[in-house]
Amino acid sequence: MRLLPPPGSARVLTIGTLVKTVGRGLWLVASALFLTRSVGLSAAEVGAGLTVSALVGVLASTPTGYLADRVGPRGTQIGALIVAGGLTAALVTVRSFPAFLLIGAATALADAADRGARGALIAGAVPSDQRVRTRAYLRATTNVGISLGAVLAGFAIAADTRAAYVGLVLTAAVASLVAAAVFTRLPVVPPVVAPAHGPRLVALRDRPFLAFTVLDGLLSMHFGLLNIALPLWIAGHTRAPAWVISGVTLVNTVTVVLFQVRAARGTENLTGAARASRRAGVAIAVACVLFAASGGLPTAAAVALLAAGALSHVVGELWHSAAGWGISFGLAPDDAHGQYQGAYSMGYELGKMLAPVVVTTLAIGWGVPGWLVLGGLFLLLGVLVPPVVRWAVSTRESHPAARPVAV
């Protein structure tokens, strides 16, 4: 399989994303240790700060996307990365919880601007029939970058010194600045003139699109299965060895890198994207059943069921991601891609906030019945997406995406 898209805007976006996500991987893996062991914050303070930052990111998603439409997505994304790099570097000066909270909230604003601008930039710089494919390349690249960053972060964690952690934070900051430099090679996408009349944040008034955003965001809670619930389940409720936790993570990462682009085929239109979302709900529900069945079984059987569940989950993950891109691009007016992509990312951020509580309460607190409830929930969410897309299409008589579709 081709590892990079053909030369052009998609390739520049992919290379810049690789650089940016190496820095993200560095921070994701070592941030908790840096903030507690080097800065001196408590675990509760770190958790509270990250929650507040996530909430800021949710609230800022659509307005910053609107900004990208009005100012221009290329300049917005470059500016957001420069600001994020400066704020990341400023973390080495943090000595108190209020300072961490302030920098975290400001970084969340920059990240929200980056997300909205990225969607609008893809819409403006990439042909419409290649947008979903480009997002697939970017997601595969994101997994590679985060994995590389995680490996590099291991050296700082092993050293466990203030100097090592400061070096890691500054490297993450430099990665953001280098990514901004890479994105200067993209063509300028002109800003879109705001409508003379009517509301500015039209995405927040688009009820069918918001309904899809909520459904897709709740479905994205499945990411918490792999990162939160499954490690706790394997360690405390199965006879599988601990290395299986790393094994299922590796399977997920490699599968996304190798097959995300292929899984996106057919989701460039609303019909295919809606069907992919329905299939995603089914696949993730099957994974929940397999995970539930692994509890209390002999080691070999537990490992086999966990492996099968991990494969079913990652297939659902591939379809869910591709479906979301196809629907969010397909339902967005040409003059509002930034704010629609910002609103779409708001759903993911919502799911990310809810996932820790929901998946741990059900899967770990309730055990097997909880896994089955989760499976039923994901199945229902996936099944509801096609009728919501039909509803959205029926409201868009003047929009190209309003052609009748059978989903």
Side-chain angles (χ1 to χ4, degrees):
M1 293 180 62
R2 183 187 292 270
L3 297 179
L4 287 173
S9 296
R11 178 168 290 188
V12 175
L13 283 163
T14 300
I15 294 171
T17 298
L18 177 63
V19 175
K20 179 179 71 174
T21 52
V22 168
R24 182 182 171 195
L26 286 168
W27 175 246
L28 285 176
V29 171
S31 58
L33 290 174
F34 165 70
L35 292 168
T36 54
R37 299 174 72 86
S38 180
V39 176
L41 301 180
S42 68
E45 288 175 327
V46 172
L50 294 177
T51 299
V52 170
S53 297
L55 181 59
V56 170
V58 169
L59 297 177
S61 293
T62 304
T64 53
Y66 175 84
L67 175 68
D69 288 327
R70 301 288 84 84
V71 176
R74 178 178 175 270
T76 301
Q77 181 162 61
I78 292 171
L81 288 169
I82 292 172
V83 171
L87 290 168
T88 301
L91 284 167
V92 302
T93 67
V94 169
R95 291 292 185 274
S96 65
F97 175 66
F100 167 58
L101 199 61
L102 178 63
I103 292 178
T107 302
L109 284 173
D111 289 343
D114 175 38
R115 291 193 301 271
R118 180 174 63 244
L121 192 54
I122 293 171
V126 177
S128 59
D129 62 342
Q130 292 296 311
R131 290 170 183 168
V132 173
R133 183 175 177 84
T134 299
R135 286 296 297 258
Y137 272 114
L138 297 186
R139 181 155 192 270
T141 302
T142 294
N143 273 37
V144 173
I146 289 177
S147 298
L148 289 174
V151 172
L152 294 175
F155 293 102
I157 293 172
D160 196 26
T161 63
R162 168 74 180 175
Y165 287 123
V166 167
L168 180 148
V169 171
L170 293 179
T171 301
V174 169
S176 184
L177 298 177
V178 172
V182 172
F183 287 139
T184 61
R185 300 180 62 84
L186 288 167
V188 174
V189 177
V192 180
V193 178
H197 305 285
R200 293 294 185 260
L201 298 181
V202 291
L204 297 182
R205 293 172 177 260
D206 189 337
R207 289 183 293 173
F209 186 82
L210 289 180
F212 158 70
T213 296
V214 172
L215 290 176
D216 188 79
L218 293 176
L219 187 56
S220 73
M221 291 191 299
H222 73 79
F223 290 107
L225 298 181
L226 191 71
N227 300 328
I228 302 169
L230 196 57
L232 296 173
W233 178 256
I234 291 172
H237 299 269
T238 76
R239 295 183 180 136
W243 58 260
V244 173
I245 298 172
S246 298
V248 296
T249 303
L250 180 63
V251 167
N252 180 276
T253 301
V254 172
T255 303
V256 170
V257 171
L258 295 179
F259 296 106
Q260 182 65 80
V261 175
R262 182 175 298 176
R265 293 174 184 170
T267 61
E268 298 86 356
N269 59 74
L270 289 171
T271 304
R275 288 174 178 166
S277 189
R278 183 167 54 206
R279 292 196 303 268
V282 173
I284 296 168
V286 170
C288 289
V289 173
L290 292 170
F291 293 148
S294 67
L297 292 180
T299 299
V303 171
L305 286 173
L306 289 168
L311 287 173
S312 184
H313 174 268
V314 74
V315 169
E317 178 181 331
L318 295 174
W319 282 333
H320 168 236
S321 297
W325 304 326
I327 295 170
S328 62
F329 279 127
L331 294 180
D334 288 337
D335 62 351
H337 273 291
Q339 63 170 292
Y340 268 74
Q341 290 299 309
Y344 166 61
S345 71
M346 184 171 63
Y348 172 76
E349 294 297 312
L350 174 65
K352 188 167 68 174
M353 287 178 60
L354 294 176
V357 173
V358 173
V359 302
T360 53
T361 298
L362 293 177
I364 307 305
W366 292 16
V368 171
W371 278 110
L372 299 180
V373 170
L374 279 171
L377 173 63
F378 290 129
L379 178 63
L380 177 63
L381 291 169
V383 167
L384 287 176
V385 169
V388 168
V389 172
R390 286 197 295 268
W391 175 32
V393 169
S394 71
T395 66
R396 285 159 164 72
E397 287 136 4
S398 62
H399 186 266
R403 300 186 188 114
V405 292
V407 292

